[in-house]
Amino acid sequence: APSGAIWWASSTGIGRYNGSRLKSYSLDQNTPYAHMGGRFIHLATDSSHIYAFDNRGSIYAYNAMRDKFDFYASISSLMGYEVSLNDIYIEGGKFFLALHNGVYSFANDSLKQIVKDIYVNRIIPTKDGLLFSAREGVFNQKGKQILSYNTESGYYDELSGKLWLGGYENGLHIVTFKQDGSIATDHFIGLSSGSTQGNPIRSICPYDDDTMLFGIDGEGVWQMSRDGQGECSLLFDANESEHSVLHGNGVYSIAVES
């Protein structure tokens, strides 16, 4: 069961909330100042690790003994040019990387391109393989487009077989599949605050068996029943307003500690 600790990433660093206390973490202090502008930080997890990474291609691993994030790898350095690293997914020690020019696998300092020529925002594991949410739509692991609208984030819920998707202008969607893998239903879910429907839903993940969490840029962390029923509600805000709970210009990524 989840420990109850919620991690999130903003443009300025990493935060952790254990139900009673907020703590902030900074990443590599040697990052050049010129790279700080336009820098976005995200989170990824596997069964035993929490990783932070930025859109410049730098990956960091959380060190629980030292209670800090250690540098892990630079994808830009490995590829020899500047990249936009938008998501990572780890399976069996292999990293899958969502980049501006497709999807790559990364293991033992070796990179291999899997899908080409799409700007991939998120990698979504499902029971039938990986899905890639992109500017051009949603694609499967063979590179076939299954949805045509821009998606910024996504989560496949094995408990219900539902695919949760979030985008820039398209808001929140719940998608279900037929047995042959084609789309059965695609429902738009309105949020209780009208202004948030047009804001980027940058991260989606479950909190527990009953609740889904959404990181919405310019708003904060929202919650909704995992069965897709009822309304979304604000859990805590994260913007630059005077009464904000979490200052930091919105939420870019969230994760729940297991």
Side-chain angles (χ1 to χ4, degrees), residues 28-258:
D28 188 1
Q29 297 298 317
N30 295 322
T31 300
Y33 183 77
H35 287 184
M36 303 300 282
R39 186 192 197 200
F40 299 136
I41 301 170
H42 298 277
L43 293 169
T45 63
D46 62 12
S47 59
S48 57
H49 298 89
I50 294 176
Y51 296 92
F53 61 96
D54 65 24
N55 56 322
R56 309 285 186 173
S58 296
I59 302 174
Y60 307 82
Y62 177 67
N63 185 324
M65 294 292 293
R66 302 172 63 191
D67 193 26
K68 68 185 293 289
F69 283 85
D70 294 329
F71 178 78
Y72 184 84
S74 170
I75 304 305
S76 292
S77 296
L78 288 170
M79 298 188 74
Y81 55 84
E82 293 294 324
V83 304
S84 292
L85 175 60
N86 302 316
D87 194 18
I88 63 176
Y89 171 69
I90 309 99
E91 185 178 75
K94 178 185 290 186
F95 285 68
F96 292 87
L97 311 173
L99 296 177
H100 66 286
N101 61 350
V103 180
Y104 291 75
S105 64
F106 170 55
N108 302 318
D109 292 328
S110 176
L111 287 164
K112 179 182 178 181
Q113 192 167 32
I114 299 171
V115 177
K116 299 179 180 180
D117 301 329
I118 57 174
Y119 190 103
V120 183
N121 291 312
R122 288 292 178 272
I123 301 171
I124 309 169
T126 77
K127 62 181 180 63
D128 297 319
L130 301 178
L131 293 177
F132 308 125
S133 66
R135 288 180 176 177
E136 298 86 352
V138 178
F139 295 77
N140 63 22
Q141 205 159 342
K142 297 179 180 179
K144 179 182 177 181
Q145 185 189 60
I146 63 172
L147 288 167
S148 60
Y149 52 83
N150 181 310
T151 52
E152 170 74 7
S153 58
Y155 178 81
Y156 178 78
D157 190 354
E158 290 194 15
L159 291 178
S160 63
K162 294 184 173 81
L163 174 65
W164 298 72
L165 295 172
Y168 284 105
E169 296 88 14
N170 296 302
L172 181 65
H173 286 250
I174 299 179
V175 175
T176 61
F177 297 92
K178 299 177 183 177
Q179 287 189 342
D180 64 2
S182 61
I183 304 298
T185 62
D186 184 355
H187 293 302
F188 169 77
I189 306 297
L191 305 183
S192 57
S193 172
S195 64
T196 62
Q197 293 185 21
N199 286 3
I201 300 174
R202 294 192 179 272
S203 184
I204 302 173
C205 76
Y207 176 68
D208 54 25
D209 289 347
D210 301 316
T211 306
M212 294 292 291
L213 299 178
F214 313 99
I216 303 179
D217 193 6
E219 289 286 333
V221 177
W222 288 60
Q223 60 186 342
M224 183 179 180
S225 175
R226 192 161 173 171
D227 62 11
Q229 303 299 312
E231 293 186 349
C232 293
S233 61
L234 182 67
L235 181 59
F236 47 79
D237 63 348
N239 53 51
E240 295 294 352
S241 67
E242 180 181 353
H243 301 292
S244 172
V245 175
L246 306 170
H247 294 283
N249 190 28
V251 168
Y252 296 102
S253 184
I254 49 177
V256 176
E257 185 176 338
S258 58

